[in-house]
């Protein structure tokens, strides 16, 4: 079956049919893009510059009482506050932060040697 069965054949100004059919994937000539131009002349917008982590962490922030603290210190305080409030995810994050900053060291398990398992015989009663 022909895809262009429902196509329209435009007529010229003088009433004679032209050789171009209008239909599916065949827009009228006046609605088509001109050569050298597209439907998006400005193109895809450029990606905005991201926020650097240095910029994020190295700023200062004013607290409610007017004193200034570094953003790093405020983030650590917030993690500590949430950990003490009972949030297990923040507690793990706080412990990981302490280990990475070498304020606490995770102790390696002591090696006590091989584990010896004694055989125990079951007492069977022959009644």
């Amino acid at each position: 079956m022909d895809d262009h069965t429902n196509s329209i054949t435009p007529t010229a100004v003088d009433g004679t049919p032209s050789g171009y059919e209008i239909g599916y994937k065949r827009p009228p000539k006046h609605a088509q893009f001109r050569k050298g131009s597209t439907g998006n002349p400005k193109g895809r917008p450029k990606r905005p510059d991201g926020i650097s982590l240095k910029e994020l962490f190295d700023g200062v922030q004013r607290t409610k009482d007017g004193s200034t603290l570094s953003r790093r210190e405020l983030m650590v305080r917030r993690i500590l506050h949430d950990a003490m409030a009972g949030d297990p995810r923040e507690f793990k994050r706080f412990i990981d932060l302490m280990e990475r900053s070498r304020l606490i060291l995770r102790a390696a398990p002591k090696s006590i040697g091989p584990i010896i398992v004694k055989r125990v015989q079951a007492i069977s009663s022959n009644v």
Side-chain angles (χ1 to χ4, degrees), residues 59-63 66-71 74:
V60 292
Q61 192 80 24
R62 288 206 179 270
T63 59
S67 61
T68 58
L69 293 172
S70 73
R71 287 187 185 154
L74 288 173

Side-chain angles (χ1 to χ4, degrees), residues 55-66:
E55 181 181 311
L56 181 67
F57 289 130
D58 288 344
V60 292
Q61 192 80 24
R62 288 206 179 270
T63 59
K64 291 180 182 176
D65 63 355

Side-chain angles (χ1 to χ4, degrees), residues 26-124:
R26 293 177 178 265
K29 290 284 186 186
H30 74 290
Q32 293 179 5
F33 294 119
R34 293 186 181 93
K35 287 192 181 272
S37 66
T38 65
N40 190 6
K42 292 183 181 179
R44 184 178 182 163
K46 301 290 185 249
R47 190 182 81 176
D49 292 336
I51 299 173
S52 69
L53 291 177
K54 182 173 175 32
E55 181 181 311
L56 181 67
F57 289 130
D58 288 344
V60 292
Q61 192 80 24
R62 288 206 179 270
T63 59
K64 291 180 182 176
D65 63 355
S67 61
T68 58
L69 293 172
S70 73
R71 287 187 185 154
R72 288 177 195 250
E73 185 177 353
L74 288 173
M75 291 175 134
V76 171
R77 282 186 176 194
R78 184 65 200 189
I79 291 171
L80 177 62
H81 178 270
D82 291 345
M84 292 179 71
D87 187 351
R89 185 182 300 159
E90 293 299 322
F91 184 74
K92 181 176 179 350
R93 188 176 289 167
F94 179 72
I95 295 298
D96 290 344
L97 182 66
M98 297 293 284
E99 286 175 350
R100 274 190 271 147
S101 61
R102 301 208 182 260
L103 294 175
I104 60 171
L105 298 175
R106 189 173 292 229
K110 291 183 179 181
S111 175
I112 57 172
I115 298 174
I116 300 172
V117 179
K118 293 183 181 179
R119 275 190 164 177
V120 178
Q121 292 182 346
I123 299 173
S124 63

